[in-house]
Structures are given as structure tokens and as C-alpha cells.
Amino acid sequence: MQKLIQGIHEFQRSIFRPQRELFEKLASGQSPDTLFITCSDSRINPNLITQTAPGELFIIRNAGNIIPPHSPHVGGEAATIEYAVAVLKVKDIIICGHTHCGAMKAVVDPKGLEELPRVAAWLAHTEATRQIIREHYQHLEGHARITATVQENVLVQLEHLRTHPLVASRLAGGTLRLHGWVYKIETGEVFAFDPEQRQFVPVTEARLPAPPTPVSHFQSI
Amino acid sequence: MQKLIQGIHEFQRSIFRPQRELFEKLASGQSPDTLFITCSDSRINPNLITQTAPGELFIIRNAGNIIPPHSPHVGGEAATIEYAVAVLKVKDIIICGHTHCGAMKAVVDPKGLEELPRVAAWLAHTEATRQIIREHYQHLEGHARITATVQENVLVQLEHLRTHPLVASRLAGGTLRLHGWVYKIETGEVFAFDPEQRQFVPVTEARLPAPPTPVSHFQSI
Amino acid sequence: MQKLIQGIHEFQRSIFRPQRELFEKLASGQSPDTLFITCSDSRINPNLITQTAPGELFIIRNAGNIIPPHSPHVGGEAATIEYAVAVLKVKDIIICGHTHCGAMKAVVDPKGLEELPRVAAWLAHTEATRQIIREHYQHLEGHARITATVQENVLVQLEHLRTHPLVASRLAGGTLRLHGWVYKIETGEVFAFDPEQRQFVPVTEARLPAPPTPVSHFQSI
Amino acid sequence: MQKLIQGIHEFQRSIFRPQRELFEKLASGQSPDTLFITCSDSRINPNLITQTAPGELFIIRNAGNIIPPHSPHVGGEAATIEYAVAVLKVKDIIICGHTHCGAMKAVVDPKGLEELPRVAAWLAHTEATRQIIREHYQHLEGHARITATVQENVLVQLEHLRTHPLVASRLAGGTLRLHGWVYKIETGEVFAFDPEQRQFVPVTEARLPAPPTPVSHFQSI
């Protein structure tokens, strides 16, 4: 704790003062373009890995970067997504998983979860991930199996995200893009899901989702 | 979006490589001492303001740094708290609000919320905050009223946190401490609630909660 | 049943008539100073043990003297607390557990609960109590373990009580005090939690909570 | 508060000591025959008006002596009823309303309820009472209208009680009886609903519900 308080002192001296103008300007409001959803894991710092400054990323963090599908029961994720889309009008939403994720290890191997009833209840929202791993990744073991779980879970949570009313509507209107990322702790690399290759590839090589052009699904018949 | 991808490139070159050893070591596991709960607001970077490195802060972020009280319905907050306390055995939990908080502005002035049904439902967990402001802060207006709301809400959410079973148990056992903080965007200062003075004071001047010494409440009667 | 009807007859003859004036006056309204929350157990009569007359104690009784934390789902406890605080403006709230409590025995030893699904669901609100007993009272057995459960549960339910908006607001304003009591059936003694000693002590020896002096938490920052 | 503590002292001296044997015996367990459900109102003391001793009445108290119908969401009332019927095997359940009931006044005249959102939500369980009063008691005003509401509400809550699974089953088996009572504060009288006369009559004149003889509804067809 004492270390954090010293850190605050250091922040004020060496970070805040030289950039005082930026911080003062931020007091008048935020207008981030991106909602970044990631795990609570202490090894991830979204601003560090994207080299972004205060004001650029609106952030949701919970164990496992999980987004429950739309439901009448509203939790923190649904409310925060609504705020990001309706009020801040973000243009991109990234769900970013990461290697060595404790929550994903529990998806692969649920022993120990009986002692963690609330974690177990929360992981009910990864049931599709679990099913995919069980049916399609029997051949993988150990680290590879966990990494497959991390990747598939990002895609499962993106599907959940699509069920949120405002997200669905902005996707239909072409004013929002969704991105699935995985951060590799041991190499500092970020991989993005490329919808055409249907694979996670280095983020610099991934095609972005189609440019947002409003397309009506409606066909007069 | 392109800016983020360039940022990742820059991160790998100038941050990851010089600290490769730290990151490689982190791949083997995390053992943060602190759970840091704060708002999704883009202007806050917990690691920046405490000058902490990857691996040091386990982080929950949602709109308004809200923690619903313990309930049979488990959300991301309850699950992530359980993971932090039971698995990571964090020693400190900080709830950190901030000035100019959009969620707290909506607590003070709920007009516009009818268009944001999920934000409105989520703010039901700030009902105590709203009541306190209504009953005790009628004399404050504008910025001061919002800042009072930010401060009182941190204290209300700390009360909610105490109802979570593992938090209650570790507090009873003297192995966990709770802290209420407010980050002032425009000056970079952090204020902590001092339980003795019953006021928010500069974090460097706040007394820490009593050192965690296990005291049994049980008295043979 | 016949005994109750004879009792009513006896009540009218020997209790009501001599105190007719009190009862007639009560018809015009109630203004109790205290909300007394206790178990449904037939062995407890709050008015008897405090020697109070009709009009003095507003009373909530349910199995286990349990108060669910504030939640959007409103039950009898939340509504009755709101009425007591907002309309009657009670100055003190007592949560009073008791030795030999059947609900607390079920917290310690849940066998049999599978036949009582609603009792089991209700005891979800004692999850923190259960956790504290599991982590800190492994050394106690039998009667002592149950008594520790009774005591810890009173403290857990007091934490739940603090999350109710009007309770939170009146505590912030210094116009309400909370008390944790345990009634010992076999000796007629009442023990109160003394916040300074962090122990239950005979009620006559317990320090009362700090006199309610309104202190604003707000600090202009 | 000081008065209560002196009362406890007085209780120990003048009540407990002369009856020490009763209290010591009660420590070994309770076996009440009756579940008594009444309002939280401070002017009611169920043991006083029925002249019963500790151990005789198992008691539920909330604002308005309201019992929500059976539902998947379990509250204190449902759990406590289950405990009374399944574990204590009570033979009689009494719902006892009372004249000058604040909750019933709010049913008749809901102005002021917008300031009491939780009381208002709780009174949703008196919607049938409200409807009956609106449709059938337009000719009554003032005190008479409120007393009609008190009486009709007791009958409405008895219907709710019948929806609880164990109550329904024990009624079908003829091992449980339900009673509707109204306590008149200003005269000390108790009125009971007589199912044959379909009126509230002095409790000493009311016919008890048919003696519990098990009757099967099943007819071989």
C-alpha cells in the first residue's frame, strides 16, 4: 500500500506536471473513440500496450473479459456498454483476452470451482466456449488447449456483445465495429481475429472489419 | 483504430523489449496485492496514477465504480471479487471514484436517463448515494454537488463491498483492508477517506485503516 | 387455539381495562423510537425482555433475524425499514439474535436443508456468516460454534442494514444508531456488541455507538 | 435507548428469576402450535393480547401483515412459513390485522407513496385489497373505509398464504387451519372471520374453521 502512495507522489511530480495542460483539458469531458473490454488480470495495462493517453480508451474489466448476453437482468457490463455506445458514441469495441488467463484455465479444468461458487456462476457465461473446446479441441492439451479457450472465448463474448440492443442497432447502421484481440503476455504481441481468414493473426496484419457502410437488411418483397 | 495498432508496435519496440524479463516472468503467474476498483472513464489509468507495473493491480472497471451488494444473482463484480480474495489473496481493496464522473452527474440529475434504461437500472445501486445527497447536500450546487456525490458514492459502495461473504470473512480475520479514494482529474491529486477524521484528505496524509490484527468477535456467553 | 381465545378474554379483563387510557390514546397514532428486528422464534418476546409497553417498539420478525442487503427486488424487510425510518423516524435500530437459534443451526450444519428449499434460499443471505464461521471458528464445536454463528450473523446483518438507502443517509446525518444484540434464552441476559472492544458484552456494560452528531463527509477538493 | 436497557434489568429481576425454570426448559427447544402473522406496528404485542408465554407463538411481523403469494423469488415470509409448517409442524396460522393501520391507510390513499418507493413496491401485494375496496366500498369513507380495508386485506393475505406449497398440502391433508383476525386497538377486542357468516365477529363467537379431517379431492372417474 505504501508503494502505491509513493507512486502517486511520483506520478504527480514526473507525469502530471509536464502534461498539466492535457489533464486540465480532460476535466472538461471525455470523448474516447474506443471501448476496450479486457480481463481484471494484473498483468494487462490496456493503455500501456496500445500506448494511449488518458482520454482515449473507455474500459470495462472483469474476470475473464466476459460480457453476458442481453437479458432483463442488468449488470455492470450492460449498463457500461449502453453508456459507451449511446452517450460517448464509441466507434470501435475491442474484446481483448490474454494468454495464461486464470478464468480460462477454470473453463478447461473446473476442479476447485466448487470452492468458488460466484466464479462458477459467472463462468456460466462461457458455456459456449466450454462446449466448443469439448467438441473441437480434444486433440489439444496443456498450454495449447488453454490458448484455444482464450481465443474461442473472445469470439463467444463478441457474439454476446452483438445481442445488446444498441450494439445490434449500431452494427446494422454501420457506425460501430467489433474487434476480437488476444494479448500474449510473454512476447508483448497482440493478435486480432481476421474475419476472412477466420484466424487470429498479428494485429498489424489483420484486415479490419469491413468499413462501416450502412446496409439495410430490408428488401421490399 | 489505426492509432492503437501503431501504439502496439511502439509498445513492443520501446517498452516490451527493454523489460522483456519482467514480462516473461509474468507469464508464469500473477500475485497482485491490491484489487483496484474504478470507473470505466477513459481519463483514468490506475497503473499510471500509482506508477505501478504490470502484475501489481488486479482491476475491476465499470461505469460509476459500483459494486452491487451481495445477492444470489451473481454479476461480474461479485465473481471477480471472489477470485481476487480467494485465489489471489489480495490484502487491500481500493474503490476509486473521480471528479467529473458522468455516472455521478446522472445520480444528481437523472434527466436523460429515460433514454438509457440499462444505465438507469444500474444506478439503482447508487440509491443510497442519491438519498444522502438529497438529505444532506441541498446547500451544494454545480461542481461541489457532483463532487460530494462522487465522495459519498465511494463510501456507499464500500458498504456494499462489506456484504460480500469473503470480504466480510477476511475483514473479520484482519487480513484485508478497504480504502476509499477519489482521483481529481484536473490536478492529478488522489484523496483518501480517513475514517477518524471522517473526511477525504490527501492520500499521503490519510491514516490507513487499523493494521489488520485478527480479533475474534466471539465471546462465550 | 382455545387457549388463545381464553387468553384474549383474560387480556381484556385484567390488562386492557386497567390501562384503557393508554390503549385509547394509542388509537390516535404510534411514535416508537426504536425498530427492533428479531427472529420469529416463539421463545422471544421483545416487549417482555425490554419491559416496554404497546407503542414503544416497531418490530420486524422473520426466521433468523435476517435483513437482505438493498436490492432492486423489494421484500417485506426493505419496505418495513423504509416505513420505520422515513415515516416513524425511529432513532435506533436493534438487530437481536438469540441462543439456540434453529436458523443458525442450519447455517452451521446444512443437512436437512435439501427438504426446505425456501429456508435454504433465504439462508443465502447468511453466506457471509457461514464464510466467517468456516474460516475463523474451526476450533469451536457444538453450542459454542452455534453461539459464535448467532453473534457473527448479527454483525453480518447489520452490514446488510447499512446498504439500505435511508439507513445509509440517516447514519451519514448522525440521526440514527445501529445496535447488535444477542438474547440468551437460558439466563434472560442480553449482550450488546461493543464496537470499541469488538466483543459482545452485557448490554448494561456496552458503550453505545457514538452519539449521533452530524458530520459531513464532503470535503471540497 | 437507556429506557430499554433499564427494562432489561427489570425483566431479569422481576420476570426471569421467578420463572427461571420455564426459561431454562425453553433453552432445549421450542414447539409452538401457532404461527402468528401480524403488522410491525408498535401498538401490537401478540403475546400480550393472547396472554401467551414464551414458547407459544411463532411470529412473523412486517408492515401491513402481508404475505406475498408463492413465487420463485423467496423472501423472509415464504422461508419462515416453510420453517413453521415443515419443521415446527404448527397446527394453526393466524393473520392478524389491526385498526388504524398505517399501511392500510396508504392502500386507501396512496398520496405520499411516491416518496416511499419500497413501501409502494411492497404494497403491490395488496393490489387485490385495493381493487375490492375500489369496486365494493365506494360508499364508505374515513375510518370505516380504512377498517374495511384492514378486514379485506386479512382475507386477501389468507388467499396468498394458501398458495404456499406446504400450506396448500397441509390444508389438503386436514392438519392445518387458517384464521383471519383483526385487533381493535382502542377497545382491546379481537375479531375473527367466521367463514359461515362471512363476517368478522368477536373472536369468542366465531366458529373455528372445520375440524381438520383429511379429505381427498380425488374422485375416481
Side-chain angles (χ1 to χ4, degrees), chain B:
Chain B
M1 200 63 200
Q2 212 47 51
K3 183 174 182 310
L4 296 193
I5 292 166
Q6 284 162 9
I8 292 170
H9 197 71
E10 173 65 15
F11 160 70
Q12 287 164 343
R13 208 179 50 77
S14 68
I15 308 290
F16 183 84
R17 274 182 215 161
Q19 303 183 65
R20 177 189 297 271
E21 258 178 74
L22 165 67
F23 286 96
E24 281 173 1
K25 196 177 147 215
L26 285 175
S28 70
Q30 64 173 329
S31 58
D33 284 336
T34 305
L35 166 58
F36 195 100
I37 299 169
T38 193
C39 187
S40 291
D41 193 295
S42 65
R43 296 167 291 182
I44 304 169
N45 179 344
N47 292 110
L48 182 72
I49 67 182
T50 59
Q51 292 288 295
T52 42
E56 295 191 74
L57 300 181
F58 195 70
I59 296 174
I60 292 174
R61 297 185 69 166
N62 63 39
N65 40 273
I66 286 166
I67 298 298
H70 170 57
S71 112
H73 185 94
V74 172
E77 292 77 19
T80 309
I81 289 165
E82 185 177 78
Y83 189 85
V85 175
V87 178
L88 302 177
K89 301 190 185 350
V90 297
K91 296 186 182 66
D92 293 279
I93 303 181
I94 297 162
I95 298 185
C96 182
H98 64 98
T99 55
H100 307 284
C101 179
M104 292 307 110
K105 285 177 187 171
V107 169
V108 168
D109 178 4
K111 79 164 182 290
L113 279 182
E114 63 278 6
E115 307 265 302
L116 300 168
R118 277 156 287 270
V119 174
W122 180 236
L123 291 182
H125 301 299
T126 64
E127 189 54 36
T129 310
R130 205 177 277 155
Q131 192 69 31
I132 290 169
I133 296 304
R134 203 154 39 207
E135 293 194 1
H136 305 298
Y137 293 99
Q138 288 293 355
H139 57 291
L140 294 182
E141 282 179 26
H143 178 60
R145 191 173 175 84
I146 290 161
T147 303
T149 308
V150 167
Q151 292 178 351
E152 292 290 350
N153 187 55
V154 164
L155 301 179
V156 162
Q157 303 307 327
L158 281 172
E159 291 299 337
H160 291 182
L161 188 56
R162 288 173 185 280
T163 67
H164 287 255
L166 277 167
V167 172
S169 183
R170 299 297 153 93
L171 286 172
T175 55
L176 182 68
R177 293 185 303 195
L178 306 187
H179 311 265
W181 285 11
V182 171
Y183 170 58
K184 187 171 178 181
I185 290 175
E186 56 270 56
T187 63
E189 290 169 291
V190 174
F191 296 84
F193 186 71
D194 182 313
E196 265 184 55
Q197 300 181 55
R198 296 173 60 83
Q199 298 279 332
F200 282 86
V201 300
V203 70
T204 46
E205 297 170 19
R207 241 153 311 189
L208 288 178
T213 55
V215 177
S216 170
H217 295 145
F218 172 65
Q219 177 68 16
S220 179
I221 62 173

Side-chain angles (χ1 to χ4, degrees), chain A residues 67-73 77-78 81 93 95 125 155-171 176 178, chain B residues 118:
Chain A
I67 299 298
H70 171 58
S71 110
H73 185 94
E77 293 77 18
I81 289 165
I93 303 181
I95 298 184
H125 300 299
L155 301 179
V156 162
Q157 302 307 327
L158 280 172
E159 291 303 330
H160 291 182
L161 188 55
R162 289 174 185 279
T163 68
H164 287 254
L166 278 168
V167 172
S169 181
R170 299 296 152 92
L171 286 172
L176 183 67
L178 306 187
Chain B
R118 277 156 287 270

Side-chain angles (χ1 to χ4, degrees), chain D residues 110-124:
Chain D
K111 80 163 181 293
L113 279 183
E114 62 278 7
E115 305 268 301
L116 300 168
R118 277 155 286 271
V119 174
W122 180 235
L123 291 181

